Amino acid sequence: MARMTVRALTSVLALLFSTSGMAAQETQPTPNTRPRIGLALGGGSARGIAHIGVLRWLEDHRIPIDYVAGTSMGGLVGGAFAAGMSPDEIAELLRNADWDIMFLGDSPFKYKTFRRKEDARAYPSRIDFGWKKGFRAPSGLEPGQQIDLLLAKIALPYSGVGSFDELPTAFRCVATDVNASESVVLSSGSLARSLRATMAIPAVFGPVELDGRLLVDGGVLNNVPADVVRAMGADIVIAVDVGSRSDPSSGGESMFTLLAKTIDTMMIPRTREALRCADIVIQPELPGVTAVDWRRSDEIAGLGYESAEESAEVLMPLAIDAAAYERYNTDRAHRRRTDSPAPQFISIEGVPPREQKQIGEMLESQIGSPLDMGRLSVALSSVTGTDRYETATPELIESPAGKGLLVRIKPKGYGPPFISLAFDLDNTRSTEFSMNARARITGYDVAGTGSEIRADAGVGSGLVLAGELYRPLGESPWFIAPRATASRTLSNGYMGGRFAAEYRTSRAGVGFDFGLNTSGKSQLRIGCDLANLRTSVRVGDPLLPVVRGNESFASVRWTYDGQTSPIVPTRGVLARVAMRRFFSAADSTSGNGLDRKSLERFTSAETSLSWFGSLSPKYRLFVQTAGGTSSGQHPLPPNDFTLGGPLRLGAIDNDELRGSNYLLLNAGLLRSVGRLPDFLGGNIFLGGWVENGSVFERIGHARVRTNATAVVVLETFLGPAYAGGSIGFDGRGRFYVGIGPLFK
């Protein structure tokens, strides 16, 4: 819908009549006599994509825009237009954005360093906490790095611009100073940071510190800045209001819908006041469109176009002739900056000199070649992939040495140290559940540059305390890692396929690794361990065998992690190889102390490979294979191999099958059937797989079991949650649910 004040309509008609007598062929205002037109674009998250359609309609009907101001998503679209982008270019920018990682709440897995990938697999929650001056949470659910990179594609060419009046179209955006409780109109300075400030939704994105102010989303106080456009000098102000109150029935009555409606209700009085400064108000009808429907950008833009078409009667008097509109576009194109300079140096701000040097080395490939936002985005994502920083924002600067690249680093203000939390739930048998709460504290630079200390603790069905000191050797890729572990776990024992006992296993030991980081995706470790091992029968026949004593072994482990997610990857390979040479092992005795058995000096080897690929954006195909051998020996529990449970023959109970050797081969397909709300999670998958595996003492005695599984998997912000059922070709079946790592 649209409305036009009598004052505005009278002004337009007066201009039309005054110019018609000057030349018979002139039926529309000339560039020298036409009214100056301003456009105010309101906030509304994904609903703001409708602004693109409005801009496209104005372009198609030769209505020039001389001033533009925006709030929140209206600031992004308005800023992109002001920077010289056409509506089609803005649409392509948003269409190609990876919305799955835009609101991830974490650095994308594929850009993380190897150790941070280890953390993400063990603790797949998207939220971490800190212990800087006490326990602290982040300032927002999403640090904003991917938004910053999106904004850089718009604003980077205008780094150092003196005033936003120098853009191809004069521009303003609106933010809110939460300390002063006042609206702030941003008209100069860093265009990228200004756009970031107007989009800083409280509790979702962290605030922006700019010129001594702490800024958040401008929609808090001025969601449709028509008054700002009027103050810029516009004769006619067109305001586009995409507030969700235009579709009060959308989204049902979920908690998040009610929250959005409550916020809208709070903003309505101020929005109505601001709209009094507008001559034409367009309120797109967006049925069923929610604030998080980013992936429907083309559809939402189309609805915006339709809304402008419905307002054609009041908009068309503002159109100019083809020649005048061509001159208008030529002037905008002339003022647009499209060059890609080759930075001659890199400057880092926001971190100590030592970290500046490290980050500079990560970005040095950007020096001397024309700036490419694709390559730069990958490099900056690798910087934040260390998980030490919230954002790494690029700008271009001038100096006597030439053009340079300035990268502003924003460290995480709540750590280090950082705290990762996890909750695991797993039904080990059809009627028995295992539950554990776990935490990991990671401290940086505690024993020299690049060093880390990890401390793990877990309570529940099992207990664990573990710590590791990781220390690089100088600036080389080599490192040392002494560690210590104490744990107590519960496991089930079976005889003839029937539950026999529940064992409690206690292990305490120390180890030392010497390793090599061969890349950001790969690591090699060579180590030795010494541990004390004790098992006891907690439930079941007390005369069943138990294991007690010390064990020592040397190990070699290699891991390659090239996947895109620790939950359900879109593509990539995860490979592991491990070999242990035991020099001594614990003894096994019966419950009455008789029938003592022991095994020393044997070799155990295990390997696994997981591959994921995408048949289309909705379908994920995967193949997993694994195997292990004890080189013809028969180790005692708990050093034997086990199968049973999800993706390890799910139709049977967890760890039901035990033996000296095993083989496993799985293949499956998952289909994305929906999504959880952004900031709360990702895809919802339905799918299934076929599992083939066997545990055996000799290959000739191997009995291959085949299971078929159907499952639903949810990518939540706390990690994966799943439920499924498996049935074996031998008739056995089981239903299982779980929270925690699935594709390990």
Side-chain angles (χ1 to χ4, degrees):
M1 60 177 291
R3 62 177 172 81
M4 190 171 188
T5 65
V6 173
R7 173 173 58 85
L9 186 57
T10 301
S11 299
V12 174
L13 292 176
L15 285 170
L16 289 173
F17 285 125
S18 65
T19 56
S20 61
M22 297 174 61
Q25 70 273 22
E26 290 281 337
T27 60
Q28 297 171 350
T30 69
N32 294 327
T33 60
R34 68 174 177 82
R36 311 304 289 176
I37 302 170
L39 184 64
L41 303 179
S45 296
R47 297 169 63 87
I49 298 173
H51 296 315
I52 300 173
V54 174
L55 285 168
R56 184 178 284 139
W57 191 94
L58 297 175
E59 179 184 71
D60 288 349
H61 294 81
R62 303 195 305 275
I63 298 175
I65 301 299
D66 303 291
Y67 308 100
V68 62
T71 296
S72 197
M73 191 62 184
L76 186 152
V77 175
F81 177 79
M85 297 179 71
S86 69
D88 286 345
E89 288 175 313
I90 304 172
E92 183 179 8
L93 176 71
L94 298 184
R95 184 187 306 120
N96 294 334
D98 189 346
W99 298 107
D100 287 352
I101 66 173
M102 197 67 66
F103 306 109
L104 186 63
D106 190 11
S107 58
F109 185 79
K110 63 183 178 180
Y111 298 124
K112 288 180 180 289
T113 61
F114 185 86
R115 287 182 66 80
R116 302 292 75 82
K117 287 181 178 180
E118 289 182 316
D119 292 341
R121 287 197 178 275
Y123 295 84
S125 171
R126 295 181 178 181
I127 301 179
D128 62 352
F129 301 90
W131 196 272
K132 194 172 186 177
K133 300 179 181 179
F135 183 82
R136 297 178 62 184
S139 58
L141 293 174
E142 163 57 42
Q145 174 62 20
Q146 298 305 312
I147 287 290
D148 281 0
L149 294 178
L150 179 69
L151 298 178
K153 294 178 180 179
I154 299 170
L156 193 61
Y158 299 95
S159 299
V161 68
S163 166
F164 296 164
D165 289 336
E166 299 176 28
L167 300 177
T169 298
F171 175 66
R172 303 288 187 270
C173 64
V174 178
T176 302
D177 184 343
V178 292
N179 288 334
S181 300
E182 64 183 19
S183 183
V184 178
V185 178
L186 301 173
S187 60
S188 62
S190 169
L191 178 59
R193 297 183 73 191
S194 297
L195 294 176
R196 175 67 173 77
T198 192
M199 297 183 66
I201 304 171
V204 175
F205 296 115
V208 175
E209 295 182 23
L210 192 62
D211 298 330
R213 299 175 181 265
L214 190 64
L215 303 180
V216 299
D217 194 305
V220 174
L221 295 179
N222 190 352
N223 198 44
V224 188
D227 55 335
V228 175
V229 176
R230 179 72 68 188
M232 294 173 72
D235 300 311
I236 303 295
V237 176
I238 304 170
V240 185
D241 177 16
V242 294
S244 60
R245 293 293 289 183
S246 61
D247 183 24
S249 64
S250 65
E253 297 300 327
S254 71
M255 176 179 66
F256 299 101
T257 302
L258 288 173
L259 177 60
K261 288 182 178 181
T262 301
I263 295 173
D264 288 337
T265 300
M266 295 168 61
M267 293 192 303
I268 281 176
R270 291 183 182 273
T271 299
R272 287 174 176 168
E273 182 66 25
L275 290 177
R276 292 177 183 175
C277 295
D279 303 303
I280 302 172
V281 177
I282 300 173
Q283 293 179 305
E285 295 292 336
L286 304 172
V289 177
T290 70
V292 294
D293 282 332
W294 310 98
R295 297 158 189 83
R296 299 169 59 187
S297 60
D298 287 340
E299 176 187 350
I300 298 171
L303 293 173
Y305 192 96
E306 293 174 6
S307 69
E309 178 64 33
E310 293 173 0
S311 305
E313 182 178 354
V314 291
L315 289 173
M316 283 305 298
L318 304 176
I320 60 178
D321 62 70
Y325 195 74
E326 179 64 26
R327 289 192 296 271
Y328 161 81
N329 276 333
T330 300
D331 179 64
R332 264 177 46 89
H334 180 73
R335 293 159 60 90
R336 183 178 183 182
R337 299 182 184 179
T338 58
D339 59 323
S340 298
Q344 301 304 303
F345 63 92
I346 292 178
S347 179
I348 311 296
E349 287 186 359
V351 292
R354 172 179 49 79
E355 295 181 41
Q356 291 180 17
K357 179 182 177 183
Q358 293 173 340
I359 295 171
E361 291 173 351
M362 297 176 69
L363 299 175
E364 62 183 1
S365 63
Q366 307 299 315
I367 298 176
S369 58
L371 200 61
D372 178 86
M373 270 308 301
R375 290 194 309 114
L376 181 59
S377 295
V378 171
L380 294 176
S381 295
S382 298
V383 171
T384 55
T386 63
D387 285 355
R388 294 182 179 227
Y389 315 112
E390 287 190 7
T391 57
T393 307
E395 288 190 18
L396 293 172
I397 56 175
E398 292 273 5
S399 81
K403 285 188 178 291
L405 179 66
L406 169 65
V407 179
R408 289 191 172 95
I409 305 295
K410 182 181 179 182
K412 293 184 176 180
Y414 51 96
F418 297 107
I419 303 173
S420 301
L421 302 176
F423 176 76
D424 301 327
L425 173 69
D426 185 18
N427 59 326
T428 56
R429 299 167 59 197
S430 297
T431 58
E432 183 178 292
F433 283 83
S434 169
M435 292 181 287
N436 292 282
R438 298 180 291 116
R440 169 172 288 177
I441 300 178
T442 304
Y444 296 145
D445 303 325
V446 293
T449 302
S451 65
E452 297 180 14
I453 187 167
R454 281 177 176 168
D456 291 275
V459 296
S461 301
L463 297 174
V464 63
L465 288 173
E468 179 188 72
L469 173 64
Y470 168 89
R471 193 184 193 288
L473 299 179
E475 297 183 359
S476 75
W478 298 93
F479 65 89
I480 57 173
R483 48 196 161 76
T485 305
S487 64
R488 188 177 69 189
T489 59
L490 299 177
S491 60
N492 294 329
Y494 296 82
M495 297 182 65
R498 306 184 69 175
F499 173 77
E502 182 181 82
Y503 282 87
R504 173 182 290 150
T505 301
S506 300
R507 183 193 296 267
V510 295
F512 184 91
D513 283 344
F514 177 67
L516 172 67
N517 291 311
T518 55
S519 71
K521 300 178 180 180
S522 179
Q523 186 180 89
L524 173 69
R525 287 189 177 221
I526 301 172
C528 57
D529 287 76
L530 176 64
N532 179 265
L533 184 64
R534 299 174 65 88
T535 69
S536 59
V537 178
R538 182 173 179 269
V539 177
D541 188 346
L543 298 180
L544 289 171
V546 296
V547 176
R548 295 178 182 175
N550 297 324
E551 63 179 16
S552 60
F553 59 86
S555 63
V556 178
R557 288 167 289 159
W558 175 76
T559 303
Y560 174 86
D561 194 341
Q563 294 185 337
T564 58
S565 169
I567 302 179
V568 181
T570 56
R571 63 184 181 277
V573 171
L574 171 65
R576 296 187 178 102
V577 177
M579 181 177 295
R580 295 187 297 174
R581 173 62 177 175
F582 283 83
F583 302 111
S584 63
D587 298 335
S588 172
T589 62
S590 62
N592 58 12
L594 302 177
D595 301 325
R596 182 181 181 89
K597 296 180 181 179
S598 64
L599 178 66
E600 296 185 0
R601 296 190 181 278
F602 72 96
T603 300
S604 173
E606 185 175 15
T607 183
S608 63
L609 179 70
S610 170
W611 172 86
F612 272 79
S614 295
L615 299 178
S616 72
K618 288 185 176 293
Y619 286 93
R620 315 279 174 89
L621 177 69
F622 72 90
V623 177
Q624 294 180 317
T625 182
T629 180
S630 297
S631 304
Q633 302 297 318
H634 304 285
L636 302 172
N639 289 323
D640 52 8
F641 299 108
T642 66
L643 287 180
L647 287 164
R648 296 183 68 84
L649 299 180
I652 60 178
D653 293 337
N654 290 21
D655 303 327
E656 178 178 331
L657 303 180
R658 292 180 174 271
S660 304
N661 309 279
Y662 85 99
L663 290 172
L664 182 69
L665 176 62
N666 304 328
L669 182 68
L670 295 166
R671 185 185 189 277
S672 174
V673 295
R675 288 189 61 85
L676 297 172
D678 283 325
F679 310 109
L680 293 186
N683 291 294
I684 301 172
F685 291 98
L686 287 178
W689 51 75
V690 176
E691 307 163 63
N692 299 275
S694 178
V695 175
F696 52 92
E697 300 302 326
R698 294 183 180 180
I699 188 66
H701 298 162
R703 175 194 170 191
V704 177
R705 300 171 185 256
T706 300
N707 291 180
T709 297
V711 71
V712 56
V713 182
L714 283 70
E715 297 179 322
T716 79
F717 77 103
L718 294 176
Y722 55 90
S726 296
I727 186 169
F729 285 13
D730 58 1
R732 291 193 59 178
R734 186 165 78 99
F735 176 79
Y736 54 80
V737 297
I739 299 173
L742 175 61
F743 295 98
K744 304 176 183 178

